[in-house]
């Protein structure tokens, strides 16, 4: 990087407020809950909290359907609680970025309620047509809903109508919202599905298996113009960090959003590494293949200017269940994944619970799932007469609820004294903060060590990436910097394998107690960092 950015060496921890910590026994996590756990977050060593939406919302899509951008969802608390959270976080040296959902609002947002009247000045805030087109939504089915004599566009649920970014008033409204929060002292935004906000045309889309119509709204020039405007008129007047959530982008499209000279976003979440174990879409999952996954990691490390590295978030199943082994090698594989995520070039994101090795939920029937996406897709699968066993497999392998089960604080759960909004995993008896907090060999302790290592040398935030060796499920790369280089070795599999690389230097960290730099065989999921002998 030619110019250092204030965010360049930061590590981000994502909080999904609904599932983090409940203080008033209603089974729903809240802002006071987050405040009371700030010391825990700080103890991890992270610098920034990304807060999933806490705005007013009817919760059709758990807060990603906003009905009041300048209000707090009463389930989570009050604006005073939010001000206190920002203040208490800042006092501890923690910054907060908020989710900014501006592709759509809730259908219960006052703009949309007024927009239903064709003569209202709010009509053009949304996308209305007399006739629908063939576009399909991210959650399955048509992207249009009838209201009165017209149809409105919704790329997500019908309770999430898309904003019309051709209308200048929409841009002005969003600028005001961003300033409101930045003035309160937040550090920036995670911008939801930001690369689809601008619909260039409403023509029928090409026939394809999923997301018909996307060539008319994906990565459009109009979107770049909007991002440049928001950056120039709002963000550049504060010290900020921005990360875009960008579905279906290629490395080239990612760079077009983040290269410094473009003055748009700082970094984006790609999805390609999350799509290596699926056919067409995530509901048709295949076995996880480390080889394919690592190829994509290399490609993004080599081609993208600066990555937002993540293995989990509130939309994904748990990484240890998906990519590791959540039974025999739970500890080893969770630590290996941590080591990979925190040594790559870019900004690492850790999702709540990932640091203790939380696994997928232990749901047994459809009614235990809460997510609208799961319910919509299963309804569709029923209509298409998919066999029952396959429907169960779809839920088990792909439901977003696996990443949303309540945070496992204690052996008894510890998330709430009431009934949790989503089933708590029974394995909290063994996988929980209480058990891991003071155990020198725990996943949690390993995260803390890794984070400290990351902070103790400039190679992690400034060094380049170089692939050294990749054969099947074995992976070795270097991070290179004038003040010294690091070698990272990963054995992404259950089998012990020989790694034919000569090693020199000092072993900094490993997920086995007795690793050595003279060892040629890497054990199941073994991962090590070696500080190379320094030649000045
Ligand atoms: O996700 C965008 C998105 O594309 C998701 O639908 C993603 O493809 C899917 O979850 C994978 O199953 C963002 C938010 O992260 C998600 O929680 C919201 O539901 C969605 O936008 C709509 O706001
Ligand atoms: Ca609560």
């Amino acid at each position: 990087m030619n110019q250092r950015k204030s965010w360049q060496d930061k590590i981000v921890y994502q909080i999904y407020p609904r599932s983090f910590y409940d203080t008033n026994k209603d089974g729903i996590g809240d802002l006071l809950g987050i405040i009371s756990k700030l010391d825990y977050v700080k103890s991890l060593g992270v610098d920034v909290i990304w807060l999933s939406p806490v705005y007013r919302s009817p919760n059709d899509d758990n807060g990603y359907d906003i009905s009041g951008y300048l209000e707090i969802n009463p389930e989570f608390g009050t604006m005073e609680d939010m001000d206190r959270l920002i203040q208490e976080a800042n006092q501890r040296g923690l910054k907060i970025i908020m989710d900014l959902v501006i592709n759509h609002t809730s259908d219960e947002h006052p703009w949309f309620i007024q927009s239903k009247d064709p003569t209202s000045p709010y009509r053009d805030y949304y996308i209305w047509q007399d006739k629908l087109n063939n576009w399909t939504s991210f959650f399955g089915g048509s992207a249009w809903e009838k209201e009165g004599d017209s149809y409105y566009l919704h790329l997500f649920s019908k309770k999430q109508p898309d904003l019309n970014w051709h209308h200048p008033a929409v841009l002005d409204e969003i600028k005001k919202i961003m300033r409101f929060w930045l003035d309160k002292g937040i550090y920036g935004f995670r911008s939801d599905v930001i690369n689809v906000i601008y619909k260039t045309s409403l023509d029928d889309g090409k026939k394809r298996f999923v997301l018909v119509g996307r060539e008319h709204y994906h990565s459009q020039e109009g979107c770049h113009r909007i991002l440049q405007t928001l950056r120039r008129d709002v963000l550049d007047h504060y010290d900020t960090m921005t990360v875009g959530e960008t579905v279906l982008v290629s490395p080239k499209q990612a760079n077009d959003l983040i290269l410094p000279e473009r003055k748009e976003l700082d970094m984006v979440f790609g999805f390609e590494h999350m799509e290596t174990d699926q056919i067409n879409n995530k509901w048709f999952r295949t076995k996880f293949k480390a080889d394919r996954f690592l190829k994509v990691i290399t490609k993004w490390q080599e081609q993208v200017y600066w990555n937002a590295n993540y293995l989990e978030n509130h939309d994904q199943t748990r990484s240890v269940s998906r990519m590791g082994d959540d039974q025999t090698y739970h500890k080893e594989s969770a630590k290996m994944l941590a080591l990979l995520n925190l040594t790559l070039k870019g900004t690492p994101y850790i999702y709540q619970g990932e640091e203790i090795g939380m696994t997928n939920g232990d749901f047994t029937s459809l009614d235990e799932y809460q997510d609208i996406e799961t319910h919509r897709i299963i309804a569709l699968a029923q209509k298409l007469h998919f066999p029952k066993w396959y429907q169960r497999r779809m839920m088990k392998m792909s439901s977003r609820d696996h990443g949303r089960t309540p945070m496992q604080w204690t052996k008894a759960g510890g998330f709430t004294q009431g009934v949790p909004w989503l089933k708590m995993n029974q394995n909290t008896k063994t996988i929980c903060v209480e058990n891991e907090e003071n155990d020198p060999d725990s996943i949690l302790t390993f995260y803390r060590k890794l984070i400290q290592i990351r902070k103790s040398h400039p190679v992690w935030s400034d060094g380049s990436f170089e692939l050294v060796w990749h054969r099947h499920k074995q992976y070795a790369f270097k991070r290179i910097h004038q003040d010294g280089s690091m070698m990272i070795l990963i054995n992404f599999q259950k089998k012990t394998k020989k790694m034919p690389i000569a090693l020199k230097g000092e072993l900094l960290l490993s997920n086995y107690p007795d690793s050595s730099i003279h060892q040629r065989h890497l054990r199941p999921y073994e991962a090590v960092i070696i500080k190379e002998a320094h030649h000045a």
Side-chain angles (χ1 to χ4, degrees), residues 14 16 50 52 61-65 99 101 103-104 138-139 156-157 160 190 192-193 211 245 247 271 275 282-283 285 313-316 371-373 398-400 404:
Q14 182 191 354
Y16 193 66
W50 153 25
S52 276
D61 186 19
N62 282 3
Y64 284 89
D65 47 321
D99 229 298
V101 188
N103 176 67
H104 45 266
F138 279 73
F139 292 160
F156 292 87
S157 94
Q160 294 167 297
R190 175 267 190 190
D192 193 62
V193 289
L211 284 184
E245 186 213 24
V247 287
F271 279 71
E275 293 167 345
K282 70 170 203 178
W283 297 99
R285 268 248 155 106
N313 60 42
H314 64 291
D315 290 335
Q316 301 292 339
D371 184 19
I372 172 156
E373 184 193 51
S398 308
S399 174
R400 302 192 295 187
R404 299 178 179 184

Side-chain angles (χ1 to χ4, degrees), residues 21-31 33 74-77 415-416:
Y21 188 56
D22 173 32
T23 57
N24 65 347
K25 306 185 186 178
D26 65 356
I28 297 171
D30 41 54
L31 293 175
E75 283 179 336
F76 292 147
F415 161 72
T416 179

Side-chain angles (χ1 to χ4, degrees), residues 250-469:
S250 63
K252 157 96 176 63
Q253 289 166 331
N255 281 330
D256 286 345
L257 290 158
I258 64 170
L259 283 169
E261 60 269 25
R262 300 203 42 116
K263 298 195 184 312
E264 298 186 24
L265 298 166
D266 295 325
M267 63 192 104
V268 298
F269 292 120
F271 279 71
E272 200 179 341
H273 67 303
M274 288 304 204
E275 293 167 345
T276 55
D277 57 352
Q278 69 185 36
I279 304 163
N280 275 313
N281 72 70
K282 70 170 203 178
W283 297 99
F284 301 103
R285 268 248 155 106
T286 59
K287 205 168 156 265
F288 177 75
K289 294 183 190 73
D291 192 15
R292 279 184 69 183
F293 171 85
L294 291 167
K295 273 201 187 98
V296 175
I297 295 288
T298 307
K299 174 171 146 190
W300 281 66
Q301 287 287 306
E302 288 178 346
Q303 296 179 17
V304 176
Y305 180 69
W306 185 261
N307 279 288
N309 295 313
Y310 73 98
L311 300 173
E312 291 187 14
N313 60 42
H314 64 291
D315 290 335
Q316 301 292 339
T317 56
R318 291 288 182 178
S319 59
V320 68
S321 300
R322 179 179 182 181
M323 305 168 178
D325 175 346
D326 62 10
Q327 303 295 317
T328 320
Y329 297 108
H330 177 250
K331 248 190 208 177
E332 291 80 1
S333 62
K335 290 179 184 177
M336 177 208 73
L337 291 164
L339 194 145
L340 175 66
N341 197 33
L342 277 105
T343 53
L344 290 170
K345 184 180 164 201
T347 300
Y349 288 74
I350 302 165
Y351 177 59
Q352 67 182 47
E354 190 175 359
E355 78 277 20
I356 55 170
M358 274 178 63
T359 65
N360 280 349
D362 52 0
F363 308 109
T364 49
S365 68
L366 178 60
D367 48 275
E368 284 178 349
Y369 290 88
Q370 301 289 338
D371 184 19
I372 172 156
E373 184 193 51
T374 306
H375 282 273
R376 290 222 40 172
I377 297 293
I378 294 303
L380 209 67
Q382 274 162 5
K383 219 164 95 188
L384 297 170
H385 301 292
F386 282 28
K388 274 270 173 292
W389 70 266
Y390 199 82
Q391 291 180 30
R392 273 196 302 274
R393 184 189 140 104
M394 289 167 84
M395 294 183 256
K396 196 168 152 47
M397 294 189 79
S398 308
S399 174
R400 302 192 295 187
D401 282 337
H402 292 295
R404 299 178 179 184
T405 60
M407 179 73 184
Q408 295 169 199
W409 293 105
T410 65
K411 292 186 185 67
F415 161 72
T416 179
Q417 291 181 285
V419 181
W421 72 276
L422 180 67
K423 191 182 171 200
M424 169 75 96
N425 197 317
Q426 290 309 300
N427 67 17
T428 190
K429 287 186 205 76
T430 51
I431 302 170
C432 62
V433 175
E434 183 184 16
N435 284 356
E436 299 192 24
E437 188 71 71
N438 299 310
D439 171 2
D441 188 41
S442 71
I443 298 166
L444 179 56
T445 302
F446 191 77
Y447 265 90
R448 289 183 169 137
K449 281 190 205 157
L450 253 176
I451 290 169
Q452 284 324 310
I453 285 180
R454 224 194 127 94
K455 300 221 144 145
S456 60
H457 199 288
V459 66
W460 304 112
S461 56
D462 297 85
S464 60
F465 167 95
E466 190 186 288
L467 182 68
V468 174
W469 165 267

